[in-house]
Structure formats: C-alpha cells, structure tokens
Amino acid sequence: MTARTVLRNEWRLLMADRALRIVLGLFAALLVYALANGVVWLRFQERTVEAVESGNGERTSALQQELDAIANGGQPSSPFADPRSPLVLGGPSGSHTAALEPGSLTALAVGQSDLLPYYYDVNIYTNESSFQQNGEVENPLNLMVGRFDLAFVVVYLLPLLVLALSFNVLSEEREQGTLALTLSQPVSARSVVAAKLAFRAFLVVGMVLAMSLLGVLATGGFDSPGRVLLWCAAVVTYSLFWFVLAAWVNTLRRSSAWNATVLVGAWLVLVVVLPAAINIAAGLLHPLPSRVEMITAQRDASNDAVNRRSELLARYLEDHPEMAEGVVADEPGLGALAWAATDAVNRRLEEVTSEHDARRADQIVLVRRYRFLSPALLAQDVLIDAAGTGDARFAHFQSQVRAFAEQWREFFVPAILADEQMTASVLPNVPKFRLADEEPGDATRRAAVPLTVLGGLVLLVGMGAGVGLGRVRGAD
Amino acid sequence: MGLRNTLLVARRQIGTMRDDRYVLFLLGLVVSLGVVSVLGARHHTASEAEQRARYQSLVERQWAEQPDRHPHRVIHYGFLVFREEAPLAFFDPGVGAYAGTSLFLEGHRQNAASFGDARHSTGMLRFGRLTPAAVLALLLPLFVVAAGFASVSGEREQGTLRLLLAQGATPGQIMGGKVLGVGAVALAAALPIGLVTAAFGTAGGDGQTSATRLLALAAGYAAYLAGWVLLTVWVSSRRSSSRAALAQLVVIWVALCVAAPRLGASLATTLHPIPSRAQFTAQVEEAQRGVGDSHNPDDPFFSALRDEYLARYEVATVEELPINWGGVVSREGETITSRIQEEHQQELLTAHRRQDRLMAWLGLLSPYLAARDLSMAAAGTGAEAVEAFRAQAEAHRYDIIQRLNDLHVHEIKYDNDRAQRIARQEWTRFPVFQPSPPSLRRALTDRPHSLAALGLWIVLPLAGLGLGRRRLPRVGVDSSGS
C-alpha cells in the first residue's frame, strides 16, 4: 500500500462525509469573509492616511496664500492667527500630521491597528500628553470584541477544524476493525498516520495559505516578502502543532470519543482559558502603573511654570545656546516667555513619562514571558507582528514622531525666542515627516524566539506521537 | 407520581455525573477559575478606583486653591474629571478598558476622553480577560455541555432508556428529570461564583443599588444557563450517540460564543461605518468655521451681535457698555462651538448606537451576545455608562466655562481687561462634578432585544423538548438518529 493509495482513499472518505464537507465549506466561507473584513479595514486606514496627508498639503498652501497676500500688503485673517508669527505657523493651524502607512499585511491581521493611533498632529505644542490623546472615535464595544480577521480564524477556529479532521485518525480504524487489515500490509502505523495527517494538513494549511496569498496579492503586500514568509511560517507551524497533538492523543489507544473530548479540552485550555487567565495573573503580579499620575503631573508643572516664566526663559537660553541667536534676554517678547513655560512643562512631562515608560517596559517584558505558556499566544504574537500591526511597529512609529516633533521645535523655536516674523520663503524648509519604517529583518528577529519555541513544541509532540505510533500493532 | 418519577430521573442523572471523575474535575476547574477571577478582578478594580479617587480629590483641591486669576485664564486652566468605575465593574468590566478614563475639561473644545488600560497593555489583552462574567457566560455553558451531553443519549446507548420507559416513566418525565439533574450541577458550579461576587458586591459602596444589580445579574445568568441546560438535554435526546451530541453541542458553543461576537462586530462596522478621528475633527472644524470667528471683528455673526448689544444698552461703542464685551464674545463663542461639537458628537453616537442595535438584533441568534449585553447593563459597565459620563462631564464643562464667562462679563472691566483678577475665594464656589451613572431600570429597558433574546433562548429548546418528547423512544431505532 503506497502513500498514494492512502491519499486517494482519504480524499474519497473525506468527501463522502457530508458533515465534513459542510465544515470545510463553512471554513472556506469564513476565510473569505475574514479576508474581506481585513481588506475593508485596510482600505479605511489607507483612505485616512491619504486624507491626513493631503490635509498637510492643503494647510501649507493655505498658509502660503495668506503669507503671499500679507507680503503684498494684505491683512492677516485674524489678529490672533497671524501666520507670520512662528507660534502660529508652527502651531496647531500650521501643524503637520505624521502618519503611519498601514502594515503591508494589515488585510490579514488587524492586530493592534484598530487600537493604537496611526497618525499624530505635530506642532510646537506636541508633547508627551499628545501621545495620550488621539483616541479614535471608535465604538468601544467593537474594540473590546476585536475584528473577525484571518488571524482570528487561524488562531481560534483553525485548531478546531484540525481536530475535527484528525481526532479519530487512528482510533477510528481500530474501532471499525480496519487497523489490523491495514497493518497486515507492508506498511507501518507511523507512515499510515503520517500520510493521513499530511493529506489533511495539506488541505487545511493550503486553504489558509491560498487565502492569505490572495489577500496579499489583492492588497499589494508583496513589497515585503519577508513578512509574507513569516506569516506563512507561523500559520504552518501553528497548524502543525494541532495536527501532531491530535496524532499523539491518538496513540494513547483510547476511544474516538475520548480523543475528541481531550482535544477539545486542550483547545479550550490553550486558546481560551490560559490566555484569559494569564491576563488576570499578569495584571495581578505585574500591575501597570496608572496613567492618572501623568495627567496630574502636567497640571502641576504648568501651574508652576507660568509663575516663573522669566526665570525659566533665562535657564532655557543657558541650556540651549543654539536656539538663542539674537535673543535679548533683558527684554524678552511675550512669545519667548510663553515658550519657556511650555518647554518647562514638556520637560517635566518627559521626566514623568520616561519614568512611567521604564516601569511599563519592565512589566511588559515580564508579561510577555507568559506567551510561552500557550501556543495560541505565540502564534498570535508572530502573526500580527508579521502583518506589521503589532505593538512593536507602533512603538517604532511613535518614537519617530517624537523625534520629528523635536525637529519641528528646532525649526520654529529660534524664531519664537527672537520674536521674528516668518515669510512664505520658509515654507519649503519646514520639516516634513518621513517615516523610516522598520527594517524587514526587525520583525523576523523578534519572531525568531517564539517561532522557534513553537517549532520545538511541534517537534517534541511529533516525536512523542512517532514513538507512540511505533508501538501500534494491528492486534491492539 | 409524575413529579416523583421526574425527581428520580434527576437524582439518577446527578448520581451519574457525580461518579464521573471528568465532570467533577471540570466542576472544580470552573469553580476555582470563577472564584480566582472574582478575587483577581476585585483587587485590580479596588486599586484603580482608589487611585482615581485620590487624583480626583487632588484635582478638586488644586482647583479650589487657585490664586487670584483672570477668568479666561481659568478657562484655559481647565478641570480634570476621572471616570469612576461602577461598583460591580470587578464582576463585568464591560467596555471600561476600551473607553477613556479621564477627561480634560477646558474652554473652546470638547476633548475626547483619553484612553484607558487597553492601549497601554500588550496585544495579549485582546484574548480577553478571565473576568467572573466571562467564566459564567463563556466557560460555564461548556461545562453544562460536558456534564449533560450524554444525559439522554447515554441512557439510550446503554439500553437503560427503554428500561426507564418500561418502568412507567413518560418521555416528558425523563426529560424533565434530566433537565433538573443537569441544572442542579450547573447551579453547583455557578453558585460559589455568585456567592463570592455577592459578598464583594454588597460589601462596598451603596449596598441597596448593588443588591438590586446583583439580583438582576443573577436572574440574567440563571436564564442564560437554563437555556444551555435545556439545549444540552434537547440535543442529547435527539441524537442516537453521545459522541454526535457532544460534537453538535461543541459546534454550537463555538459558533455562538466564539465566532458570533466577532462576526457581529465586523458586520456592524461594515454596515454602519464610523469616521476616523481625523475626519471627525475636520468636520467639526469645518462646521465651526462656517458659523463665525469670534476673534474676527468683521465677522457677520459677531458684528450683528455687537449691534444688538449696542442697541439694547443704547450706547455707541462697546467700550461704553456697562458689561465686558470681551466676555460676551467669549460666552457666545462658547455657546456656538459647544452646540456644533455636541451635534457632531450626537451624530457619532447615533452611529455607535446603530452598531449596538445591530449587535442586539444578533443577540436573537447568539444568546451569548444577549447575556453579555444584559450583564454589562446590570453591572453598570455598558456603553451607556461611558456615554453618561461623557455627557455629564460635558454638561459640567459647559456650566463652569459659562460661569467663568459670566464672571468675565460682569466682574472684569473692558478697559485694561487682561490686568484684572478675580479673587481666589470665588473658585471654591464652583460646583463639584458629581456624575450619576444611568439607573438599572433604564439600562435594562433600553435593551428589549436582549431581554427578548434571552426569553427566546429558553423558550426554543423548551418547545423542542416538548415537541420532541413523543419521538424520544424512537430515536436511533427507526432511523439512523439524525
């Protein structure tokens, strides 16, 4: 009996089972729906990014027009919004929106991209508290539930399909009495089960990968082949884990019903209970510091700063001689005084934030260790990171926005301090945000450990199954 | 006689489950997960609530201790409010982690509440937290399935079903007994969790309200779990093999409890899209530009207003007005911008409510959605609680800003406006923010779909059991059991 015979036989058997045909059809339909959902979300993000970027252009050209008009003897539209003032040109009305292009595989995994901000308005008043705002106006209920995307289908539903296809891969033969018959042929139980599972794996993984690649193709995600490969690797490894688990349970020589119960139990524990329990445990053992503290620190700082503006300005000029060109410290303009106060508040906020962020980073390192308790958590982590919708890419974006805000200040603050007026000629030189996206290797590097652990798990359980199958005799 | 038979069958069912080590193990697991989740959530909520209360009083003190200030300066100084979690948030945190926790109230704009816990934790949170509500709504049904999938089909497989029938028990009595038996085990799992919750829930805060809310929660979950018990026995009675019954029940559970929420949310987002924040802000700004610019002396709206005031006080220039014109402009500007913002906010909320309503309709298909909805309502952690906080904070904001503008109008002279100050004693006379969460009655009456869905969830399997009872002896005998 060759592997081909097994495969052909399997195909016939699977297709003869009406329930299984329905389940496979349903799974395919869910895959299509999940992908469609992801594409809708991707398009929405793309449209938003496009809109905020064209908003940048519109603001600039409106300022350009107004500045030109003023240069030709016109009046500013409002005495409080004179674009010649660097506080206005570099302030909210002249702000530049820094946006993060959606990750190349966003259509496959929405991940954290519905929760974390992907654009910030940057102006001279951008500070740490700006990163706290910028919440989307999304329905909180939808955020809580999460999206129905391919990553969800892969992490939650795919294991159930795998288990439905293979919980009785060996036990059924035993129950129907065909095991002795099969093993009387010159073939080992190991190769029979391997062939059967390989066929099923080919079917299931093939469906998911085909749908993923279709999604990538439709949304132009092939720009980063590394991410696509990473995604595929995670899908394959995670599916294999469930296949070898089913094979191993089958070698325990129990009934099909027992296998089904145990495997569904394993799914429940690894995919539903453990991650939820870990979240509780992590919250208890490593509570994240409250953000409330930050908000009040800002108020304290701004109270204090307004009263000591002149003193702060003097100190500022001492600390930033490069910004101080042409500033007469004896009779500073109102703008310079206000800026000194703003800067003092920003510094205080940065202190509190960096303290807070350091504590938070420590906690997150600890919390992330718990990932290794559940293959579902590992898989989810790699999948969304590969898609470019994980926490890491957003943190990278935020740090770039922070640097850009600094660049923005460096451009406008000297003029504020010197109480200078600006003209249309500076507009082309105003800093523009250019995202230096993560290197393709970054995600791969982060995924290396979880993916290796997942692969190791597959090998371990697979070897256990192999050993168990080696002991199977037809007379069992 | 009839009742006795039913009770005998129930006792027999309980006996079978008590002898099943697997069921006992699962019972222990569910109960301990439930109790641990209550303790864990309780701890988290308590420390967070303590922190928010501490900072809220700090902010209030800072407000009262302001020095002599110009009222417009105070408008920009603003005020900070923290959203207090409902007393039962430890049981069901609802949308709390995904809605803002603090709101900065200042003049000229409505800030969005800045984000809560969810944005500061890792992606792991998206797997959901093991809250007491999740244990009851998600895991307990599965326990009911595991305990009861073989309740009728097992008797059939062992041939004892025919024996029971031969001894004079009617199919109705057998099924009734099975429902009672499985129900008793479900109660044994739910009761400890409920008691621990009740112990903590009534301990702190307003005992009266908490007790009513706890009762509502108990009633909701009792109905939800009763539906699962009925469904389990029904499916078991229709299947010739326990294996088929288990497979079918697990599929139903996955579809209703795991897939349906996400499918529903995705459907809601697709059918009732919500703008991005950028788009929303742009719309508000656009609308505000269209109305009037209070800083522009030639703006048609404000020049009309000026003429009206000049005519009313019968003077020629704003300098001659007995009140401060700058304050009037600020007050009118605030009225307009607030109205526009609120209009857009309401439009946005309408979209949110449309999405929620769609989910409520889907609750008729998935009782899990209905139970979760009612649970959040009873715990006071639903979307309406978040919205009530926002609306009340906005009302408070508008109130204090306009009081400050009135001070500006009446207490500050137009001449040399900026140099004047209001004495510090004034700040202590401002109202304190006292949010009042929506009442339980309103939260529940706003959810007719979910209440109906939960009723349907009991009635449907009950009807199935009733109609199917004549067929009971024939399943697996005259057909292949489907």
Side-chain angles (χ1 to χ4, degrees), chain A residues 30 33 37 44 48 52 77-80 111-112 114-119 121 131-149 152 155-157 160 167-168 175 256-257 261-262 264 267-268 271-273 275-280 284 288 290-293 295-296 299-300 302-303 306 360 364 367-368 370-371 376-377 380 391, chain B residues 22 33 36-37 40-41 43-44 48 51-52 55 58-59 62 69 73 77-80 82 94-95 98-99 102 104 111-112 114-115 118-131 138-139 142 243 246 250 253-254 258-259 261-263 265-270 274-280 293 295-297 348 352-353 355-356 359 372 376 418:
Chain A
L30 287 179
Y33 180 65
N37 250 329
F44 175 78
T48 308
V52 297
S77 64
S78 154
F80 295 94
Q112 295 283 80
D114 56 344
L115 194 57
L116 302 175
Y118 53 103
Y119 52 91
D121 293 336
F131 295 116
Q132 300 304 310
Q133 307 287 332
N134 280 313
E136 278 296 322
V137 289
E138 176 62 282
N139 188 344
L141 189 65
N142 291 344
L143 289 178
M144 179 180 88
V145 175
R147 303 233 168 198
F148 193 91
D149 56 0
F152 168 75
V155 171
Y156 280 84
L157 305 182
L160 288 171
F167 74 98
N168 58 359
E175 280 156 15
S256 297
T261 319
V262 165
V264 169
W267 173 83
L268 183 70
V271 181
V272 180
V273 176
I278 287 172
N279 275 327
I280 278 283
L284 277 182
L288 287 177
S290 175
R291 286 265 152 179
V292 173
E293 195 187 332
I295 306 167
T296 41
R299 290 174 69 75
D300 288 349
S302 54
N303 271 344
V306 171
R360 178 169 167 263
I364 283 181
V367 169
R368 281 172 66 84
Y370 293 108
R371 285 179 302 168
L377 284 173
Q380 156 97 355
D391 296 309
Chain B
Y22 192 55
L33 280 176
V36 166
S37 68
H43 176 84
H44 173 79
E48 186 65 26
Q51 213 154 16
R52 284 185 202 171
Y55 282 110
L58 180 71
V59 170
Q62 284 174 342
R69 266 183 180 159
R73 162 84 182 94
Y77 176 70
F79 191 70
L80 198 61
F82 295 94
V95 297
Y98 293 89
S102 66
F104 182 53
N111 290 310
S114 66
F115 253 73
R119 232 174 75 183
H120 303 299
S121 42
T122 65
M124 269 166 49
L125 190 67
R126 303 311 276 280
F127 274 87
R129 269 173 39 193
L130 192 70
T131 61
L138 203 61
L139 300 185
L142 209 56
R243 198 180 115 190
L246 178 63
V250 168
W253 179 81
V254 170
V258 180
R262 291 217 186 205
L263 278 169
S266 296
L267 197 64
T269 328
T270 317
I274 284 170
S276 64
R277 182 197 41 94
Q279 211 180 336
F280 180 73
D293 179 357
H295 291 313
N296 183 355
L348 184 67
H352 284 188
R353 290 299 85 80
Q355 294 188 338
D356 294 349
M359 290 288 264
R372 192 185 61 185
M376 290 193 295
R418 284 182 176 222

Side-chain angles (χ1 to χ4, degrees), chain B residues 413-454:
Chain B
K413 300 269 169 301
Y414 189 70
D415 187 38
N416 200 14
D417 183 324
R418 284 182 176 222
Q420 301 169 58
R421 301 281 179 269
I422 295 281
R424 60 173 68 200
Q425 293 80 0
E426 190 62 35
W427 313 135
T428 55
R429 292 186 202 128
F430 274 73
V432 176
F433 181 55
Q434 266 160 344
S436 64
S439 72
L440 177 64
R441 177 194 293 271
R442 225 203 80 204
L444 289 180
T445 47
D446 275 356
R447 289 173 160 78
H449 300 87
S450 298
L451 289 169
L454 222 47

Side-chain angles (χ1 to χ4, degrees), chain B residues 191-204:
Chain B
L191 208 56
I193 305 173
L195 288 179
V196 181
T197 307
F200 283 122
T202 46

Side-chain angles (χ1 to χ4, degrees), chain A residues 161-173:
Chain A
L161 179 68
V162 171
L163 300 184
L165 285 173
S166 34
F167 74 98
N168 58 359
V169 68
L170 188 65
S171 54
E172 192 185 29
E173 296 243 9

